[in-house]
Amino acid sequence: MTDARTQERLHVTGRPSWDAYFIRMAHLAATRSTCLRRRVGAVIVKDRMVLATGYNDTPRGVPNCGEGGCGRCASDVPSGTSHDTCLCLHAEMNCVVQAAYHGVAIAGGTIYVTYQPCLICAKMLLNVGLKRIVFEGTYPDPLALDMLKNADVELVHYAGEEIST
């Protein structure tokens, strides 16, 4: 939900808030995903500068989901389960790995994700020192959500805002 000041600024300028801007970038990153079950994107930002992007996909050199790389994606296991059989990296993981691969420090930053992080990703995001997690869609992992709510991190469930394009 946006406050009155933000709504007035949008009305006058037509510019999105920083959260809207970066969550849109996360949605753009999600378009690169090859996952057959859920396309997720993530963007890590610090001081309003994009540091890394990521989307869910198989590791380098492994056939992607559409090519038969990950059997879990083609199965009917319930969402949020059997992560130990999935070959894909989640968008958040790929974002952190991309930053590390290029030697980019992300501690103190914010991650924007199109869905709530799972427990594995939530633990990783806390340990790399991100201070703010902004997510849009829900994910069936109440333990991850509880842990994030109780951690020393600002957790924002982004509700969106109208933006003229």
Side-chain angles (χ1 to χ4, degrees):
M1 181 174 285
T2 56
D3 62 21
R5 183 174 172 221
T6 301
Q7 286 185 7
E8 176 63 23
R9 184 179 51 77
L10 285 172
H11 176 72
V12 172
T13 67
R15 293 178 71 189
S17 68
W18 287 110
D19 282 351
Y21 179 69
F22 292 124
I23 205 78
R24 280 179 156 190
M25 285 187 174
H27 278 280
L28 181 61
T31 65
R32 294 282 310 149
S33 172
T34 62
C35 183
L36 302 174
R37 298 172 64 96
R38 183 186 309 252
R39 297 173 78 174
V40 182
V43 177
I44 295 177
V45 174
K46 190 171 182 181
D47 299 326
R48 298 182 180 166
M49 299 294 294
V50 174
L51 302 179
T53 63
Y55 51 89
N56 53 331
D57 203 356
T58 53
R60 288 184 178 134
V62 175
N64 67 44
C65 300
E67 300 168 334
C70 181
R72 180 183 178 275
C73 288
S75 73
D76 58 359
V77 299
S79 182
T81 64
S82 302
H83 286 147
D84 58 332
T85 64
C86 182
L87 297 183
C88 294
L89 287 134
H90 287 186
E92 303 93 321
M93 292 176 193
N94 260 332
C95 218
V96 170
V97 167
Q98 183 186 68
Y101 184 84
H102 292 287
V104 177
I106 58 174
T110 297
I111 189 165
Y112 292 86
V113 192
T114 55
Y115 287 93
Q116 173 210 310
C118 71
L119 183 60
I120 295 166
C121 288
K123 291 185 285 187
M124 178 194 57
L125 296 175
L126 293 174
N127 272 1
V128 299
L130 293 176
K131 293 299 179 193
R132 189 165 183 257
I133 298 171
V134 180
F135 69 94
E136 192 169 35
T138 59
Y139 188 73
D141 196 335
L143 182 57
L145 192 57
D146 287 344
M147 184 184 68
L148 290 169
K149 286 179 180 177
N150 292 311
D152 185 24
V153 64
E154 182 184 353
L155 184 64
V156 178
H157 187 175
Y158 181 78
E161 62 187 53
E162 289 261 336
I163 303 162
S164 55
T165 54

